[in-house]
Amino acid sequence: MTTVRLTTAQALVRFLANQYSERDGQEQRLIPGVWGIFGHGNVAGIGQALLQAAVTQEADLPYYLARNEQGMVHASVAYAKMRDRLATFACTASTGPGSTNMITGAALATTNRIPVLLLPSDMFATRAADPVLQQLEDTRGGDVTVNDAFRAVSKYFDRISRPEQLIPAALAAMRVLTDPVETGAVTLALPQDVQAEAYDWPVAFFRRRVWHVGRPVPEPTAVERAARLLRNARKPLIVAGGGAVYSGAETQLRAFAEATGIPVADTHAGKG
């Protein structure tokens, strides 16, 4: 097996630069860039990896400077909405309060089923340097940090405590990001020492991957039940949500409403 020696952060940057989504034959970058605020916990890991990628052109993953951690997550969510959930940004922040500032944005993304990739820095996996400035570790349990608060607001959460754990975690993260039903905030907590730890990575991990966003066909019996309800309804009303927008069903919805005369209301997400 062919391998290449990189740090965990370098491997993650190279991996993300080669992820694509596809629907109806059209491909696009799944993660076109990274928002970030650097400090202790990520400047020598993800920060160094992004800088190296930009200087050497080894990986095409642009970095965008943010001014507020919560704001950069909201910006990523807005971008994903405008791209019909086919693309989103990654967001990285420093250990402690910098990362926990992203929790509200994660809750918004998960509640509204909008994909966003969060890369909060975490405490040293070795725990040799505990405690660290603003680390915010939980003194009641050595394996618990404030980043565990992301668990409740993430559709997928993992902590990368060893470099090789990144391979299955990164693949699972991409699968959730591109699943129209399960998508939301995806969180990969990255201990600051693991980010800079070198490992011999299989080259196949960095190959170009295309994640197919499917269009599930409704069960015929479900369509029949819906049609029967509409035929028997005295005052039917269609409530169109974000799914009508993300799936590109506006034309079909308009045609159906005009043919039947049924009024259409929308949810907040349905407003686009």
Side-chain angles (χ1 to χ4, degrees), residues 236-242 244-245 253 257 261-271:
L237 171 68
I238 297 171
V239 180
V245 178
L253 176 61
I262 300 176
V264 178
D266 52 40
T267 65
H268 183 72
K271 296 181 185 299

Side-chain angles (χ1 to χ4, degrees), residues 5 7 25 39 62 64 67 80 115 144 155 159-160 186 191 233 240 246 268:
R5 193 161 185 82
T7 67
Y64 300 95
R67 298 297 185 182
V144 179
K155 295 299 289 186
R159 178 176 284 112
I160 312 302
V186 169
Y246 304 140
H268 183 72

Side-chain angles (χ1 to χ4, degrees), residues 86-97:
L86 298 173
T88 189
F89 278 81
C91 298
T92 179
S94 59
T95 305

Side-chain angles (χ1 to χ4, degrees), residues 76-268:
S76 300
V77 168
Y79 176 84
K81 284 175 67 71
M82 294 304 296
R83 294 300 308 275
D84 290 338
R85 304 189 300 184
L86 298 173
T88 189
F89 278 81
C91 298
T92 179
S94 59
T95 305
S99 286
T100 58
N101 283 345
M102 298 194 293
I103 292 175
T104 297
L108 170 77
T110 295
T111 299
N112 290 281
R113 301 294 192 273
I114 308 296
V116 63
L117 178 61
L118 305 180
L119 306 173
S121 302
D122 215 320
M123 70 178 191
F124 283 86
T126 61
R127 307 183 197 171
D130 288 352
V132 179
L133 175 67
Q134 293 187 330
Q135 182 171 287
L136 292 177
E137 70 281 358
D138 189 333
T139 57
R140 296 167 298 175
D143 62 341
V144 179
T145 77
V146 292
N147 281 349
D148 285 275
F150 282 98
R151 293 180 184 272
V153 293
S154 298
K155 295 299 289 186
Y156 179 82
F157 176 94
D158 201 354
R159 178 176 284 112
I160 312 302
S161 299
R162 292 179 56 85
E164 59 267 35
Q165 293 175 353
L166 177 65
I167 296 176
L171 294 172
M174 299 303 106
R175 177 187 60 78
V176 175
L177 286 174
T178 54
D179 188 322
V181 176
E182 293 298 322
T183 194
V186 169
T187 302
L188 297 180
L190 301 171
Q192 48 189 310
D193 52 343
V194 177
Q195 289 184 44
E197 186 174 345
Y199 181 73
D200 292 323
W201 303 88
V203 173
F205 179 53
F206 308 113
R207 68 175 175 81
R208 188 180 190 273
R209 284 184 172 84
V210 180
W211 299 85
H212 301 279
V213 181
R215 292 185 180 275
V217 177
E219 297 181 11
T221 55
V223 175
E224 292 173 4
R225 288 195 299 271
R228 185 164 56 250
L229 288 172
L230 287 175
R231 281 195 300 267
N232 297 330
R234 295 176 56 189
K235 295 182 179 180
L237 171 68
I238 297 171
V239 180
V245 178
Y246 304 140
S247 62
E250 299 97 329
T251 301
Q252 290 81 356
L253 176 61
R254 177 185 291 274
F256 181 77
E258 291 176 345
T260 62
I262 300 176
V264 178
D266 52 40
T267 65
H268 183 72

Side-chain angles (χ1 to χ4, degrees), residues 4-118:
V4 58
R5 193 161 185 82
L6 300 168
T7 67
T8 302
Q10 290 169 338
L12 178 58
V13 167
R14 189 173 295 192
F15 171 84
L16 293 178
N18 283 305
Q19 305 306 302
Y20 292 78
S21 66
E22 178 274 330
R23 189 179 70 183
D24 299 339
Q26 182 176 354
E27 296 182 5
Q28 52 273 310
R29 286 280 299 276
L30 177 57
I31 310 291
V34 178
W35 285 99
I37 298 178
F38 293 114
H40 62 281
N42 66 343
V43 66
I46 294 294
Q48 183 273 338
L50 287 169
L51 176 60
Q52 179 179 336
V55 171
T56 64
Q57 301 297 309
E58 293 175 357
D60 179 20
L61 194 68
Y63 162 69
Y64 300 95
L65 175 64
R67 298 297 185 182
N68 176 272
E69 293 90 354
Q70 183 181 148
M72 68 186 182
V73 181
H74 289 327
S76 300
V77 168
Y79 176 84
K81 284 175 67 71
M82 294 304 296
R83 294 300 308 275
D84 290 338
R85 304 189 300 184
L86 298 173
T88 189
F89 278 81
C91 298
T92 179
S94 59
T95 305
S99 286
T100 58
N101 283 345
M102 298 194 293
I103 292 175
T104 297
L108 170 77
T110 295
T111 299
N112 290 281
R113 301 294 192 273
I114 308 296
V116 63
L117 178 61
L118 305 180

